[in-house]
Amino acid sequence: MFRPSPRSQRFFPLLMFLLLFSVPVYAEDGPEQPAVASAHPKATAAGREILEAGGNAFDAAVAVSAALAVVEPYGSGLGGGGFWLLRTADGREVMVDGREKAPAAATPDMYQDAEGEVIEGASINGPKAAGVPGEPAALAHLAGEYGELPLAESLAPAIRYAREGFAVTERYRTLAEFRLEVLRRHPRAAEVFLADKEVPEVGTVIRQPDLARTLERLAAEGRDGFYAGPVARELAESNQAAGGLITREDLADYAVEEREPIAFEVAGHRVVAAPPPSSGGVALAQILRMLEAKGYGEAEGAARTHLLIEAMRRAYRDRAVHLGDSDFVDVPMERLTSRDYNAGLAATIHPEKALPSAHLPGPPAARGGRNTTHFSVLDGKGNRVAATLSINYPFGSGFVAGDTGVVLNDEMDDFVAKPGEPNAYGLVGGEANAIEPGKRPLSSMSPTFVEGPERSLIVGTPGGSRIISMVARAVAGFVHDEGGAEALTHWVERPRYHHQYLPDEIQHEPGAFSEEERAALEEMGHTLAEMDRTYGDMQAVLWNRETGTVKAAADPRGEGEAKVLSPETP
Ligand code: DON
């Protein structure tokens, strides 16, 4: 038996101290291997460049966001907005909300005609579809409050890409084809993004000197380089001259908000997710709590799928009824995310029968998202960023504001143009998400962190209304240990399915279900709608804090790149 000698007794407290504190304190040690996963190799390279130059995850996030604004002009940009979920190495968590805001002149019925009918395309195409951009303010905020490098240094790769150009890919072509008509309508957009008014060939180099100049102003002057002075003037004047509502005052008044993320425990894991004006965090909490209440971890095959579908149905229904910008409307967050409320909802899930959505009262269906963008970053110290950024539809509103090179968003379509009328993603909503001046449209963007006993996940994806169901399934996969040794790739790559309350159907990628599972789901009363394409572009980083290993995955559906960097990266 161990009997301490008088000498060792003397050192016992020191020994205990050393023992206690030699347990790895991850927050300080960091993962050693930084990682970046983004939707474009040039954006991942920009993140890498900034990490290698001594920047932290937040500087890298500025670099990746700005690079994506240049090389994915259809996905996000200075003319759009997004949510940057941050966790500092010492454990502080915050969401930087750079979501667009409705201009001061916006009204609830601005997309309806004299008869009160929604004008088709009005909230999607052209300058009047744009909210006041938030991304430039968010980048200045990230660099100023969290970064270690000057904003100008983190923006440098993007400025280079804008000047030197990037090559058109298949994805670019698909999305430009999809938006060809609206791009042709706006001469500045056609000039930059088309070749003689046609979709450019793969490999064509797209240079954006105007955008480079706007980025340089942001780099030199910070926030005011965009929201005041010549850029603001040009943006507002060109927008209004073409029928838009954004004024110089709207730009001057724009401010990012720091919001407390939604955090909840489920099955021994801590999930940190996006609060309103995103609906993502609330819906994730609801879905995962319902799954926990129904023993999802033990269910198998079609019964397991059925539980997830039914949980999605109920969470998307609550989204439609209750969610909106919490700066403007009361969102009953505590109730919606509580264990008890969701246990109640879960109790209404029949183990073998689908509940028709029509039996769930709500405001009164679907196309899918194809753009927007997500990236995940981890630095060597353990700082993390999950960011989902958007200009909404591919190439946003299709309108480039004068000589700013900025593609304006069409995020106003995320509001409810008329209660009960579905938006571009088939989402319905009510008063909570009605248009009001200065209000932020409800979003589905769901940048998310999950902390397990040993592993940490940074995850997110574009995909319109389907973002939430994709992220929920990835988180459920993590929390309930699906996928074995290749878990990360499994969560990112496996075929997807989705239910959003209305339309009342399971939309799914080809190959999502076996014949047997399909038959079992139909037997339960589910309607299956196979899509003719895949969706989403998930970017994820998984850090095993016990072993120090880091894995990163870019969705094979997209053209992105995930890189785990060398431990030598500063
Ligand atoms: O904020 C939202 O929920 C939408 N504007 C996101 C759009 C989107 O993800 C499009 N693409 N895939």
Side-chain angles (χ1 to χ4, degrees):
M1 192 180 137
F2 172 69
R3 255 180 229 292
S5 66
R7 195 183 151 84
S8 66
Q9 256 174 8
R10 202 155 25 106
F11 287 107
F12 195 64
L14 177 66
L15 193 73
M16 285 311 290
F17 178 86
L18 284 176
L19 260 177
L20 268 176
F21 287 94
S22 63
V23 174
V25 180
Y26 304 111
E28 281 168 21
D29 288 358
E32 292 177 4
Q33 289 176 293
V36 183
S38 92
H40 197 289
K42 277 186 180 291
T44 300
R48 178 184 190 155
E49 182 178 327
I50 292 305
L51 287 170
E52 286 175 352
N56 61 17
F58 312 117
D59 298 306
V62 172
V64 175
S65 307
L68 289 167
V70 175
V71 300
E72 274 197 329
Y74 43 79
S76 67
L78 296 190
F83 301 130
W84 289 257
L85 187 66
L86 318 181
R87 184 181 154 108
T88 59
D90 60 9
R92 187 173 161 221
E93 292 160 342
V94 69
M95 188 181 86
V96 174
D97 171 359
R99 179 74 162 164
E100 300 89 334
K101 290 174 103 170
T107 57
D109 53 3
M110 64 187 273
Y111 300 118
Q112 297 174 21
D113 63 17
E115 277 74 53
E117 296 300 321
V118 173
I119 306 164
E120 207 187 319
S123 59
I124 297 175
N125 304 323
K128 205 178 166 189
V132 184
E135 177 158 329
L139 299 188
H141 183 84
L142 279 171
E145 299 296 319
Y146 297 94
E148 284 170 10
L149 301 180
L151 176 64
E153 192 168 341
S154 302
L155 292 180
I159 295 170
R160 212 170 59 230
Y161 296 157
R163 283 208 189 288
E164 290 172 3
F166 70 93
V168 166
T169 60
E170 284 299 345
R171 188 179 185 82
Y172 181 108
R173 276 183 59 80
T174 308
L175 297 173
E177 183 72 53
F178 181 65
R179 296 294 271 157
L180 187 56
E181 198 203 321
V182 69
L183 289 170
R184 277 181 181 155
R185 230 182 275 163
H186 302 292
R188 298 270 187 179
E191 222 170 85
V192 186
F193 299 118
L194 302 177
D196 291 332
K197 297 211 163 187
E198 297 299 334
V199 175
E201 294 302 322
V202 167
T204 308
V205 175
I206 304 288
R207 295 192 177 82
Q208 301 171 80
D210 286 349
L211 183 60
R213 269 194 304 281
T214 298
L215 280 162
E216 276 162 356
R217 281 215 176 260
L218 185 65
E221 296 166 36
R223 183 199 173 283
D224 285 352
F226 187 91
Y227 293 90
V231 172
R233 192 182 328 117
E234 178 73 6
L235 197 151
E237 280 173 8
S238 62
N239 179 265
Q240 286 173 48
L245 301 182
I246 299 174
T247 62
R248 280 164 77 180
E249 290 69 40
D250 286 323
L251 291 163
D253 287 349
Y254 185 88
V256 295
E257 296 293 335
E258 287 217 341
R259 304 199 189 268
E260 189 184 333
I262 289 187
F264 58 95
E265 300 279 334
V266 69
H269 290 63
R270 184 164 180 276
V271 181
V272 181
S278 171
S279 54
V282 170
L284 280 185
Q286 291 198 248
I287 292 170
L288 289 154
R289 287 212 186 292
M290 283 185 249
L291 294 183
E292 191 179 36
K294 292 301 276 188
Y296 173 82
E298 288 76 53
E300 284 177 7
R304 194 172 168 108
T305 309
H306 169 70
L307 283 182
L308 190 43
I309 295 291
E310 290 299 315
M312 288 174 187
R313 181 200 308 280
R314 286 157 177 78
Y316 275 91
R317 179 266 173 193
D318 276 357
R319 178 195 193 282
V321 175
H322 298 291
L323 270 285
D325 180 353
S326 53
D327 288 347
F328 284 72
V329 291
D330 278 333
V331 179
M333 303 239 282
E334 228 178 279
R335 171 159 70 86
L336 291 180
T337 58
S338 76
R339 265 213 167 82
D340 289 350
Y341 173 71
N342 288 295
L345 282 186
T348 68
I349 300 178
H350 190 292
E352 286 159 14
K353 273 194 198 147
L355 176 76
S357 288
H359 294 188
L360 275 179
R367 296 201 295 272
R370 305 227 216 147
N371 55 310
T372 300
T373 198
H374 176 88
F375 67 86
S376 296
V377 184
L378 172 70
D379 71 15
K381 299 187 188 78
N383 294 306
R384 295 161 225 189
V385 180
T388 314
L389 319 177
S390 182
I391 46 175
N392 198 29
Y393 239 43
F395 291 93
S397 64
F399 178 78
V400 171
D403 64 9
T404 65
V406 173
V407 182
L408 284 181
N409 68 84
D410 56 355
E411 221 76 65
M412 293 292 283
D413 186 66
D414 282 343
F415 279 121
V416 173
K418 185 179 173 187
E421 287 285 327
N423 76 350
Y425 303 106
L427 288 167
V428 292
E431 277 309 306
N433 190 28
I435 304 173
E436 283 183 65
K439 191 176 177 184
R440 288 168 154 93
L442 183 62
S443 173
S444 301
M445 293 188 289
S446 308
T448 300
F449 300 142
V450 192
E451 295 293 298
E454 291 153 18
R455 300 179 299 174
S456 301
L457 177 68
I458 309 173
V459 70
T461 180
S465 60
R466 298 189 187 98
I467 292 174
I468 297 170
S469 63
M470 283 184 263
V471 174
R473 196 146 164 254
V475 176
F478 182 22
V479 166
H480 297 286
D481 221 9
E482 294 167 350
E486 290 310 317
L488 185 67
T489 3
H490 177 72
W491 307 330
V492 170
E493 295 186 5
R494 63 182 158 175
R496 299 184 165 134
Y497 57 83
H498 168 80
H499 195 296
Q500 62 178 43
Y501 168 58
L502 293 175
D504 189 354
E505 60 189 20
I506 303 175
Q507 298 161 3
H508 66 90
E509 290 182 336
F513 303 118
S514 65
E515 270 314 309
E516 198 185 334
E517 201 173 2
R518 212 190 153 82
L521 289 166
E522 280 170 351
E523 178 73 11
M524 290 176 190
H526 292 287
T527 302
L528 276 72
E530 178 166 320
M531 301 167 67
D532 56 4
R533 61 179 181 88
T534 60
Y535 61 90
D537 194 3
M538 189 171 274
Q539 308 293 329
V541 172
L542 184 66
W543 168 25
N544 186 321
R545 304 187 313 273
E546 295 253 294
T547 60
T549 38
V550 174
K551 291 183 175 174
D555 202 321
R557 294 165 183 81
E559 297 174 340
E561 187 171 46
K563 275 253 183 289
V564 176
L565 311 183
S566 109
E568 275 73 59
T569 308

